[in-house]
PDB file of all heavy atoms in Angstrom:
ATOM      1  N   ARG A 298     -53.561  63.883 -67.437  1.00 97.00           N
ATOM      2  CA  ARG A 298     -52.779  64.021 -66.187  1.00 97.00           C
ATOM      3  C   ARG A 298     -51.353  63.518 -66.375  1.00 97.00           C
ATOM      4  O   ARG A 298     -50.734  62.983 -65.425  1.00 97.00           O
ATOM      5  CB  ARG A 298     -53.478  63.291 -64.999  1.00 97.00           C
ATOM      6  CG  ARG A 298     -54.873  63.658 -64.736  1.00 97.00           C
ATOM      7  CD  ARG A 298     -55.062  65.160 -64.515  1.00 97.00           C
ATOM      8  NE  ARG A 298     -56.352  65.485 -63.975  1.00 97.00           N
ATOM      9  CZ  ARG A 298     -56.864  66.744 -63.952  1.00 97.00           C
ATOM     10  NH1 ARG A 298     -56.161  67.769 -64.509  1.00 97.00           N
ATOM     11  NH2 ARG A 298     -58.061  66.985 -63.435  1.00 97.00           N
ATOM     12  N   GLU A 301     -48.783  65.434 -64.152  1.00 98.00           N
ATOM     13  CA  GLU A 301     -49.015  65.186 -62.730  1.00 98.00           C
ATOM     14  C   GLU A 301     -48.644  63.768 -62.367  1.00 98.00           C
ATOM     15  O   GLU A 301     -48.035  63.489 -61.284  1.00 98.00           O
ATOM     16  CB  GLU A 301     -50.470  65.444 -62.354  1.00 98.00           C
ATOM     17  CG  GLU A 301     -50.877  66.870 -62.462  1.00 98.00           C
ATOM     18  CD  GLU A 301     -51.372  67.239 -63.870  1.00 98.00           C
ATOM     19  OE1 GLU A 301     -51.197  66.460 -64.783  1.00 98.00           O
ATOM     20  OE2 GLU A 301     -51.988  68.342 -64.022  1.00 98.00           O
ATOM     21  N   ILE A 304     -44.914  63.612 -61.942  1.00 98.00           N
ATOM     22  CA  ILE A 304     -44.468  64.192 -60.655  1.00 98.00           C
ATOM     23  C   ILE A 304     -44.650  63.135 -59.555  1.00 98.00           C
ATOM     24  O   ILE A 304     -43.721  62.889 -58.776  1.00 98.00           O
ATOM     25  CB  ILE A 304     -45.341  65.442 -60.298  1.00 98.00           C
ATOM     26  CG1 ILE A 304     -44.980  66.597 -61.211  1.00 98.00           C
ATOM     27  CG2 ILE A 304     -45.106  65.822 -58.817  1.00 98.00           C
ATOM     28  CD1 ILE A 304     -45.937  67.796 -61.065  1.00 98.00           C
ATOM     29  N   VAL A 320     -47.718  67.671 -51.391  1.00 98.00           N
ATOM     30  CA  VAL A 320     -49.020  68.299 -51.124  1.00 98.00           C
ATOM     31  C   VAL A 320     -49.741  68.535 -52.444  1.00 98.00           C
ATOM     32  O   VAL A 320     -49.155  69.174 -53.392  1.00 98.00           O
ATOM     33  CB  VAL A 320     -48.809  69.648 -50.404  1.00 98.00           C
ATOM     34  CG1 VAL A 320     -50.154  70.379 -50.239  1.00 98.00           C
ATOM     35  CG2 VAL A 320     -48.172  69.457 -49.059  1.00 98.00           C
ATOM     36  N   MET A 321     -50.941  68.014 -52.568  1.00 98.00           N
ATOM     37  CA  MET A 321     -51.740  68.210 -53.769  1.00 98.00           C
ATOM     38  C   MET A 321     -53.036  68.987 -53.388  1.00 98.00           C
ATOM     39  O   MET A 321     -53.785  68.504 -52.542  1.00 98.00           O
ATOM     40  CB  MET A 321     -52.099  66.905 -54.448  1.00 98.00           C
ATOM     41  CG  MET A 321     -52.828  67.071 -55.786  1.00 98.00           C
ATOM     42  SD  MET A 321     -53.698  65.585 -56.324  1.00 98.00           S
ATOM     43  CE  MET A 321     -52.418  64.358 -56.215  1.00 98.00           C
ATOM     44  N   MET A 322     -53.241  70.104 -54.017  1.00 97.00           N
ATOM     45  CA  MET A 322     -54.446  70.919 -53.757  1.00 97.00           C
ATOM     46  C   MET A 322     -55.326  70.907 -55.049  1.00 97.00           C
ATOM     47  O   MET A 322     -54.806  70.777 -56.139  1.00 97.00           O
ATOM     48  CB  MET A 322     -54.097  72.346 -53.343  1.00 97.00           C
ATOM     49  CG  MET A 322     -53.366  72.457 -52.026  1.00 97.00           C
ATOM     50  SD  MET A 322     -52.953  74.172 -51.575  1.00 97.00           S
ATOM     51  CE  MET A 322     -51.447  74.390 -52.489  1.00 97.00           C
ATOM     52  N   GLY A 323     -56.588  71.129 -54.843  1.00 96.00           N
ATOM     53  CA  GLY A 323     -57.506  71.228 -55.973  1.00 96.00           C
ATOM     54  C   GLY A 323     -58.931  71.197 -55.505  1.00 96.00           C
ATOM     55  O   GLY A 323     -59.244  70.558 -54.494  1.00 96.00           O
ATOM     56  N   ARG A 324     -59.790  71.901 -56.230  1.00 94.00           N
ATOM     57  CA  ARG A 324     -61.183  71.969 -55.824  1.00 94.00           C
ATOM     58  C   ARG A 324     -61.843  70.632 -55.786  1.00 94.00           C
ATOM     59  O   ARG A 324     -61.380  69.664 -56.384  1.00 94.00           O
ATOM     60  CB  ARG A 324     -61.990  72.913 -56.727  1.00 94.00           C
ATOM     61  CG  ARG A 324     -61.937  72.501 -58.203  1.00 94.00           C
ATOM     62  CD  ARG A 324     -63.148  72.164 -58.959  1.00 94.00           C
ATOM     63  NE  ARG A 324     -64.234  73.054 -59.035  1.00 94.00           N
ATOM     64  CZ  ARG A 324     -65.483  72.638 -58.949  1.00 94.00           C
ATOM     65  NH1 ARG A 324     -65.756  71.348 -58.760  1.00 94.00           N
ATOM     66  NH2 ARG A 324     -66.495  73.458 -59.066  1.00 94.00           N
ATOM     67  N   ILE A 327     -62.249  67.432 -58.646  1.00 97.00           N
ATOM     68  CA  ILE A 327     -61.317  67.637 -59.704  1.00 97.00           C
ATOM     69  C   ILE A 327     -60.567  66.360 -60.119  1.00 97.00           C
ATOM     70  O   ILE A 327     -59.983  66.260 -61.192  1.00 97.00           O
ATOM     71  CB  ILE A 327     -60.305  68.751 -59.270  1.00 97.00           C
ATOM     72  CG1 ILE A 327     -59.686  69.423 -60.531  1.00 97.00           C
ATOM     73  CG2 ILE A 327     -59.208  68.183 -58.427  1.00 97.00           C
ATOM     74  CD1 ILE A 327     -60.654  70.317 -61.257  1.00 97.00           C
ATOM     75  N   LYS A 329     -58.468  64.341 -57.635  1.00 97.00           N
ATOM     76  CA  LYS A 329     -57.228  64.145 -56.867  1.00 97.00           C
ATOM     77  C   LYS A 329     -57.057  62.668 -56.476  1.00 97.00           C
ATOM     78  O   LYS A 329     -55.978  62.060 -56.666  1.00 97.00           O
ATOM     79  CB  LYS A 329     -57.183  65.030 -55.636  1.00 97.00           C
ATOM     80  CG  LYS A 329     -57.275  66.494 -55.938  1.00 97.00           C
ATOM     81  CD  LYS A 329     -57.189  67.361 -54.654  1.00 97.00           C
ATOM     82  CE  LYS A 329     -58.382  67.152 -53.752  1.00 97.00           C
ATOM     83  NZ  LYS A 329     -59.672  67.602 -54.350  1.00 97.00           N
ATOM     84  N   LEU A 332     -56.388  60.350 -59.407  1.00 98.00           N
ATOM     85  CA  LEU A 332     -55.022  60.556 -59.904  1.00 98.00           C
ATOM     86  C   LEU A 332     -54.010  59.757 -59.038  1.00 98.00           C
ATOM     87  O   LEU A 332     -53.172  59.039 -59.562  1.00 98.00           O
ATOM     88  CB  LEU A 332     -54.644  62.041 -59.917  1.00 98.00           C
ATOM     89  CG  LEU A 332     -53.166  62.366 -60.177  1.00 98.00           C
ATOM     90  CD1 LEU A 332     -52.778  61.898 -61.584  1.00 98.00           C
ATOM     91  CD2 LEU A 332     -52.952  63.879 -60.024  1.00 98.00           C
ATOM     92  N   GLY A 434     -56.023  68.060 -50.340  1.00 96.00           N
ATOM     93  CA  GLY A 434     -57.022  68.913 -49.718  1.00 96.00           C
ATOM     94  C   GLY A 434     -57.857  69.672 -50.763  1.00 96.00           C
ATOM     95  O   GLY A 434     -57.298  70.103 -51.773  1.00 96.00           O
ATOM     96  N   GLN A 437     -59.139  75.007 -50.535  1.00 85.00           N
ATOM     97  CA  GLN A 437     -57.861  75.615 -50.867  1.00 85.00           C
ATOM     98  C   GLN A 437     -57.477  76.714 -49.931  1.00 85.00           C
ATOM     99  O   GLN A 437     -56.256  76.968 -49.684  1.00 85.00           O
ATOM    100  CB  GLN A 437     -57.874  76.090 -52.324  1.00 85.00           C
ATOM    101  CG  GLN A 437     -58.033  74.924 -53.292  1.00 85.00           C
ATOM    102  CD  GLN A 437     -57.741  75.335 -54.734  1.00 85.00           C
ATOM    103  OE1 GLN A 437     -56.638  75.682 -55.089  1.00 85.00           O
ATOM    104  NE2 GLN A 437     -58.779  75.266 -55.570  1.00 85.00           N
ATOM    105  N   MET A 440     -55.824  74.916 -47.069  1.00 95.00           N
ATOM    106  CA  MET A 440     -54.562  74.293 -47.482  1.00 95.00           C
ATOM    107  C   MET A 440     -53.470  75.327 -47.685  1.00 95.00           C
ATOM    108  O   MET A 440     -52.323  75.093 -47.330  1.00 95.00           O
ATOM    109  CB  MET A 440     -54.824  73.480 -48.734  1.00 95.00           C
ATOM    110  CG  MET A 440     -55.649  72.234 -48.566  1.00 95.00           C
ATOM    111  SD  MET A 440     -54.826  70.990 -47.571  1.00 95.00           S
ATOM    112  CE  MET A 440     -53.614  70.313 -48.770  1.00 95.00           C
ATOM    113  N   LYS A 441     -53.843  76.447 -48.242  1.00 93.00           N
ATOM    114  CA  LYS A 441     -52.845  77.516 -48.440  1.00 93.00           C
ATOM    115  C   LYS A 441     -52.415  78.087 -47.106  1.00 93.00           C
ATOM    116  O   LYS A 441     -51.229  78.412 -46.939  1.00 93.00           O
ATOM    117  CB  LYS A 441     -53.438  78.627 -49.365  1.00 93.00           C
ATOM    118  CG  LYS A 441     -53.504  78.223 -50.845  1.00 93.00           C
ATOM    119  CD  LYS A 441     -54.101  79.311 -51.713  1.00 93.00           C
ATOM    120  CE  LYS A 441     -54.100  78.934 -53.171  1.00 93.00           C
ATOM    121  NZ  LYS A 441     -52.746  78.799 -53.713  1.00 93.00           N
ATOM    122  N   GLU A 445     -48.661  77.602 -46.844  1.00 95.00           N
ATOM    123  CA  GLU A 445     -48.041  78.728 -47.503  1.00 95.00           C
ATOM    124  C   GLU A 445     -47.891  79.954 -46.660  1.00 95.00           C
ATOM    125  O   GLU A 445     -47.297  80.950 -47.032  1.00 95.00           O
ATOM    126  CB  GLU A 445     -48.832  79.058 -48.787  1.00 95.00           C
ATOM    127  CG  GLU A 445     -48.767  77.946 -49.789  1.00 95.00           C
ATOM    128  CD  GLU A 445     -49.494  78.284 -51.115  1.00 95.00           C
ATOM    129  OE1 GLU A 445     -49.987  79.449 -51.234  1.00 95.00           O
ATOM    130  OE2 GLU A 445     -49.590  77.416 -51.980  1.00 95.00           O
ATOM    131  N   SER A 457     -42.689  68.650 -52.292  1.00 97.00           N
ATOM    132  CA  SER A 457     -43.337  68.775 -53.576  1.00 97.00           C
ATOM    133  C   SER A 457     -44.726  69.298 -53.353  1.00 97.00           C
ATOM    134  O   SER A 457     -45.416  68.874 -52.408  1.00 97.00           O
ATOM    135  CB  SER A 457     -43.393  67.382 -54.269  1.00 97.00           C
ATOM    136  OG  SER A 457     -44.059  67.444 -55.508  1.00 97.00           O
ATOM    137  N   LYS A 458     -45.181  70.254 -54.174  1.00 97.00           N
ATOM    138  CA  LYS A 458     -46.447  70.843 -54.003  1.00 97.00           C
ATOM    139  C   LYS A 458     -47.022  71.275 -55.347  1.00 97.00           C
ATOM    140  O   LYS A 458     -46.359  71.973 -56.117  1.00 97.00           O
ATOM    141  CB  LYS A 458     -46.360  72.053 -53.032  1.00 97.00           C
ATOM    142  CG  LYS A 458     -47.685  72.717 -52.692  1.00 97.00           C
ATOM    143  CD  LYS A 458     -47.465  73.785 -51.610  1.00 97.00           C
ATOM    144  CE  LYS A 458     -46.597  74.918 -52.112  1.00 97.00           C
ATOM    145  NZ  LYS A 458     -46.381  75.965 -51.136  1.00 97.00           N
ATOM    146  N   PHE A 459     -48.272  70.945 -55.620  1.00 96.00           N
ATOM    147  CA  PHE A 459     -48.881  71.403 -56.869  1.00 96.00           C
ATOM    148  C   PHE A 459     -50.387  71.459 -56.728  1.00 96.00           C
ATOM    149  O   PHE A 459     -51.002  70.824 -55.843  1.00 96.00           O
ATOM    150  CB  PHE A 459     -48.470  70.545 -58.085  1.00 96.00           C
ATOM    151  CG  PHE A 459     -48.888  69.096 -58.018  1.00 96.00           C
ATOM    152  CD1 PHE A 459     -50.091  68.703 -58.650  1.00 96.00           C
ATOM    153  CD2 PHE A 459     -48.156  68.127 -57.348  1.00 96.00           C
ATOM    154  CE1 PHE A 459     -50.519  67.367 -58.627  1.00 96.00           C
ATOM    155  CE2 PHE A 459     -48.575  66.811 -57.336  1.00 96.00           C
ATOM    156  CZ  PHE A 459     -49.753  66.408 -57.980  1.00 96.00           C
ATOM    157  N   VAL A 460     -51.055  72.196 -57.650  1.00 96.00           N
ATOM    158  CA  VAL A 460     -52.461  72.327 -57.709  1.00 96.00           C
ATOM    159  C   VAL A 460     -52.968  71.526 -58.921  1.00 96.00           C
ATOM    160  O   VAL A 460     -52.453  71.700 -60.013  1.00 96.00           O
ATOM    161  CB  VAL A 460     -52.851  73.799 -57.857  1.00 96.00           C
ATOM    162  CG1 VAL A 460     -54.404  73.923 -58.013  1.00 96.00           C
ATOM    163  CG2 VAL A 460     -52.384  74.615 -56.690  1.00 96.00           C
ATOM    164  N   LEU A 461     -53.951  70.659 -58.663  1.00 97.00           N
ATOM    165  CA  LEU A 461     -54.527  69.900 -59.769  1.00 97.00           C
ATOM    166  C   LEU A 461     -55.666  70.750 -60.375  1.00 97.00           C
ATOM    167  O   LEU A 461     -56.592  71.165 -59.674  1.00 97.00           O
ATOM    168  CB  LEU A 461     -55.141  68.558 -59.236  1.00 97.00           C
ATOM    169  CG  LEU A 461     -55.558  67.600 -60.312  1.00 97.00           C
ATOM    170  CD1 LEU A 461     -54.428  67.172 -61.200  1.00 97.00           C
ATOM    171  CD2 LEU A 461     -56.236  66.369 -59.671  1.00 97.00           C
ATOM    172  N   ARG A 462     -55.562  71.005 -61.664  1.00 96.00           N
ATOM    173  CA  ARG A 462     -56.475  71.892 -62.344  1.00 96.00           C
ATOM    174  C   ARG A 462     -57.465  71.114 -63.225  1.00 96.00           C
ATOM    175  O   ARG A 462     -57.243  69.928 -63.484  1.00 96.00           O
ATOM    176  CB  ARG A 462     -55.723  72.924 -63.183  1.00 96.00           C
ATOM    177  CG  ARG A 462     -54.714  73.674 -62.347  1.00 96.00           C
ATOM    178  CD  ARG A 462     -54.126  74.872 -63.033  1.00 96.00           C
ATOM    179  NE  ARG A 462     -53.104  75.532 -62.216  1.00 96.00           N
ATOM    180  CZ  ARG A 462     -53.352  76.344 -61.165  1.00 96.00           C
ATOM    181  NH1 ARG A 462     -54.579  76.596 -60.858  1.00 96.00           N
ATOM    182  NH2 ARG A 462     -52.343  76.889 -60.448  1.00 96.00           N
ATOM    183  N   PRO A 463     -58.513  71.751 -63.718  1.00 97.00           N
ATOM    184  CA  PRO A 463     -59.489  71.064 -64.563  1.00 97.00           C
ATOM    185  C   PRO A 463     -58.797  70.579 -65.866  1.00 97.00           C
ATOM    186  O   PRO A 463     -57.767  71.039 -66.257  1.00 97.00           O
ATOM    187  CB  PRO A 463     -60.522  72.191 -64.873  1.00 97.00           C
ATOM    188  CG  PRO A 463     -60.388  73.154 -63.711  1.00 97.00           C
ATOM    189  CD  PRO A 463     -58.957  73.119 -63.375  1.00 97.00           C
ATOM    190  N   GLN A 580     -60.440  82.546 -53.853  1.00 93.00           N
ATOM    191  CA  GLN A 580     -60.114  82.418 -55.287  1.00 93.00           C
ATOM    192  C   GLN A 580     -61.307  81.949 -56.113  1.00 93.00           C
ATOM    193  O   GLN A 580     -61.175  81.171 -57.045  1.00 93.00           O
ATOM    194  CB  GLN A 580     -58.914  81.474 -55.477  1.00 93.00           C
ATOM    195  CG  GLN A 580     -57.650  82.010 -54.858  1.00 93.00           C
ATOM    196  CD  GLN A 580     -56.436  81.213 -55.133  1.00 93.00           C
ATOM    197  OE1 GLN A 580     -56.526  80.025 -55.405  1.00 93.00           O
ATOM    198  NE2 GLN A 580     -55.259  81.798 -55.045  1.00 93.00           N
ATOM    199  N   ARG A 602     -64.653  82.595 -61.533  1.00 97.00           N
ATOM    200  CA  ARG A 602     -63.658  81.866 -62.229  1.00 97.00           C
ATOM    201  C   ARG A 602     -64.106  80.483 -62.702  1.00 97.00           C
ATOM    202  O   ARG A 602     -63.726  80.044 -63.785  1.00 97.00           O
ATOM    203  CB  ARG A 602     -62.410  81.734 -61.307  1.00 97.00           C
ATOM    204  CG  ARG A 602     -61.770  83.031 -60.902  1.00 97.00           C
ATOM    205  CD  ARG A 602     -60.615  82.846 -59.982  1.00 97.00           C
ATOM    206  NE  ARG A 602     -59.562  82.081 -60.604  1.00 97.00           N
ATOM    207  CZ  ARG A 602     -58.359  81.844 -59.989  1.00 97.00           C
ATOM    208  NH1 ARG A 602     -58.136  82.333 -58.777  1.00 97.00           N
ATOM    209  NH2 ARG A 602     -57.461  81.089 -60.584  1.00 97.00           N
TER     210      ARG A 602
END
Side-chain angles (χ1 to χ4, degrees):
R298 306 305 193 194
E301 294 88 349
I304 291 172
V320 174
M321 186 197 309
M322 294 180 278
R324 57 121 52 221
I327 204 72
K329 300 182 294 297
L332 170 63
Q437 295 192 65
M440 289 293 284
K441 285 179 177 294
E445 296 183 4
S457 178
K458 183 174 63 177
F459 65 95
V460 176
L461 190 62
R462 304 192 184 281
Q580 298 185 336
R602 298 177 62 175

